[in-house]
Amino acid sequence: MDSILYDMLLWLVVILFELLLYMRARYFLHMSQQLGYIPEEFLLWIKTRKDKAFGFSKDKSNLKKPLVMTPRAKRLFTTAMVLNGLVLILIPLWYYVHRPTPMGYVLLIAGLVFIGAYLFWQQSILMYISLYIILPVEKIIHRKFYREAQRKLRDLKKKGLTVVGITGSYGKTSTKMILHHILNAYLPTYSSPQSFNTPMGLSKIINNELTEEYAFFVAEMGARYQGEIKELVKLVEPDYGIITNVGPCHLETFGSLETILKTKFELTDGVGDDCLVLNYDNDLIREEARNRQLKATSVSSLVGVSSDVKVQPIEVTEEGSRFTITWGTEEIEVQTMLLGAHNMMNIAMASTVARKLGVESRVIQKAIETIPPVEHRLNIIKNPQGLIILDDAFNSNPAGARAAIDVLTSFQGGKKGIITPGMVELGDLQESENHALGKLIAQRLDFSIFVGKKITKPLQNGVEEIANPKHDSYVVETLEEATQLLTQLVGAGDVVLFENDLTDIY
């Protein structure tokens, strides 16, 4: 009888810990999913966010992006739970082999509790191990989908499909959506949705969604490591290409600006010079193109910079922008609802590719007028109380943040303020760039609300250095606190910029 009770108690403890580990492992599965299931990045997250990796207070209600149990997530989670089970089951196995005395049994239960508690504490490390264990399987699956997509795309290209690849440190999603809108006014066009810009993401949408009905396929090409654009070029084999911008984005994984530049220019290895469009407002792109002696089509809005296509602002207001695009001897004047000088360049680059693809200028001109604002990229939200919100919540970068502040200060009347956690993934430049942004905010805006006392320290230091008596600055811990504070600071006619919204990994 005692033996049966011992057995039941032993397995009850095992089941209890397996349930606790199940709940905790789901959190780390969620974090690994947001990090792209990349073991190295998950390990870096563990090292830099020890409070999240080893702490026990996880408020799931504040998570912004839900866990999606994709087939890959299920495989990883199963691997982690099997590892947990294998470790926990060692104690019961030892028990059945040795059948200890009652005192030995008490020590056995104590050992089981210790091991279970240790597993619970170290669950982030176990998820990291699981990522590596499952990696060979994922590579096989990825290669299968990649080759299927490659074959399908080649077949579609034989039937007339034209592929445009767009890459850059920033601006690529907006440019993709702009080009899609213009081309779709001419012939049926498909573009990769949201930020599906990885080999696996593009393989998935090519295999599942791209069909013969489309004349054009616009593929956004993202990268966090050198060689990834090269892999995407091999996948989609673009006929035309755009490099939108090069700057310190994902610097933590790239290591240097030079590596970022080389990676973005991997697109040029798969696209002929006459089919390539480059942003000559960007010093790095302009210099690299000259060093490589590329004869690509250059686009610029800068005075004193020689380029094939010129962009000339006429009027920039809170309602949008009016400007001219000049191709040689042909000039068109366009009006857009999109805000900011940077969007003029995005429109000009997209229009230049559309023109190369045979779209008439009048069609381009008309399409530009109806380009809808891109979600979370400087689009205007007006609330019933008259407050104007500029939503620029998509990951921020130095150039984008400055452009957003330029747009904010173009609004007439009312107070101007910003809510931001600052910029991330800038590597060694993160502190200095955020410090510079803090100074700019103090110089040009009426108030600021920084989200996160620790992460926004460089922003705070920048504001303090300027010491502008007309600028009020506040620091809170969460976005909810920031929005509550905002209601006390603003009224009708005031304008607030929401700049960047950090993911759950922060």
Side-chain angles (χ1 to χ4, degrees), residues 153-375:
L153 203 52
R154 284 172 181 170
D155 289 341
L156 289 173
K157 290 183 76 171
K158 288 176 183 177
K159 297 174 182 178
L161 180 71
T162 299
V163 179
V164 182
I166 300 177
T167 192
S169 298
Y170 32 87
K172 52 186 177 290
T173 301
S174 296
T175 305
K176 172 195 68 180
M177 297 179 78
I178 292 165
L179 181 57
H180 174 271
H181 186 82
I182 295 171
L183 291 179
N184 206 44
Y186 176 56
L187 286 171
T189 302
Y190 182 83
S191 61
S192 50
Q194 299 173 351
S195 293
F196 275 68
N197 56 21
T198 64
M200 195 62 178
L202 284 176
S203 295
K204 181 180 178 180
I205 59 113
I206 290 168
N207 287 328
N208 297 339
E209 300 180 33
L210 192 60
T211 63
E212 293 181 22
E213 69 180 281
Y214 298 108
F216 303 112
F217 172 42
V218 184
E220 180 180 333
M221 307 169 81
R224 296 174 67 86
Y225 297 90
Q226 188 170 6
E228 289 186 341
I229 297 299
K230 184 177 181 179
E231 185 179 0
L232 287 168
V233 167
K234 288 180 180 178
L235 172 62
V236 304
E237 298 178 350
D239 303 291
Y240 293 82
I242 301 174
I243 300 180
T244 59
N245 243 311
V246 172
C249 188
H250 304 312
L251 199 55
E252 286 184 347
T253 52
F254 278 115
S256 69
L257 267 174
E258 183 182 359
T259 303
I260 294 173
L261 184 63
K262 287 180 180 178
T263 301
K264 300 308 178 185
F265 268 77
E266 289 170 359
L267 178 62
T268 66
D269 297 331
V271 179
D273 285 7
D274 56 333
C275 298
L276 185 66
V277 174
L278 303 176
N279 178 2
Y280 261 39
D281 276 7
N282 186 273
D283 296 341
L284 292 169
I285 291 177
R286 190 168 63 246
E287 188 65 28
E288 184 69 11
R290 288 170 180 168
N291 290 341
R292 293 175 179 241
Q293 299 182 327
L294 296 178
K295 297 179 181 178
T297 302
S298 53
V299 181
S300 179
S301 64
L302 299 178
V303 176
V305 173
S306 176
S307 63
D308 301 303
V309 181
K310 293 302 293 185
V311 178
Q312 179 64 49
I314 298 174
E315 185 181 28
V316 180
T317 71
E318 59 195 68
E319 301 298 328
S321 308
R322 189 160 60 92
F323 59 101
T324 61
I325 305 173
T326 305
W327 298 286
T329 57
E330 183 183 2
E331 179 180 284
I332 63 170
E333 183 178 314
V334 296
Q335 178 84 33
T336 179
M337 294 181 284
L338 301 187
L339 301 173
H342 61 295
N343 271 321
M344 296 184 198
M345 283 296 295
N346 293 339
I347 289 170
M349 289 185 287
S351 300
T352 300
V353 170
R355 197 166 179 267
K356 288 176 179 289
L357 289 168
V359 185
E360 295 180 2
S361 298
R362 60 178 180 82
V363 176
I364 294 172
Q365 196 171 20
K366 189 174 181 180
I368 290 172
E369 292 177 1
T370 58
I371 296 171
V374 183
E375 188 178 16

Side-chain angles (χ1 to χ4, degrees), residues 386-398:
L387 175 66
I388 301 170
I389 295 171
L390 275 177
D391 179 6
D392 199 33
F394 192 75
N395 286 346
S396 184
N397 57 78

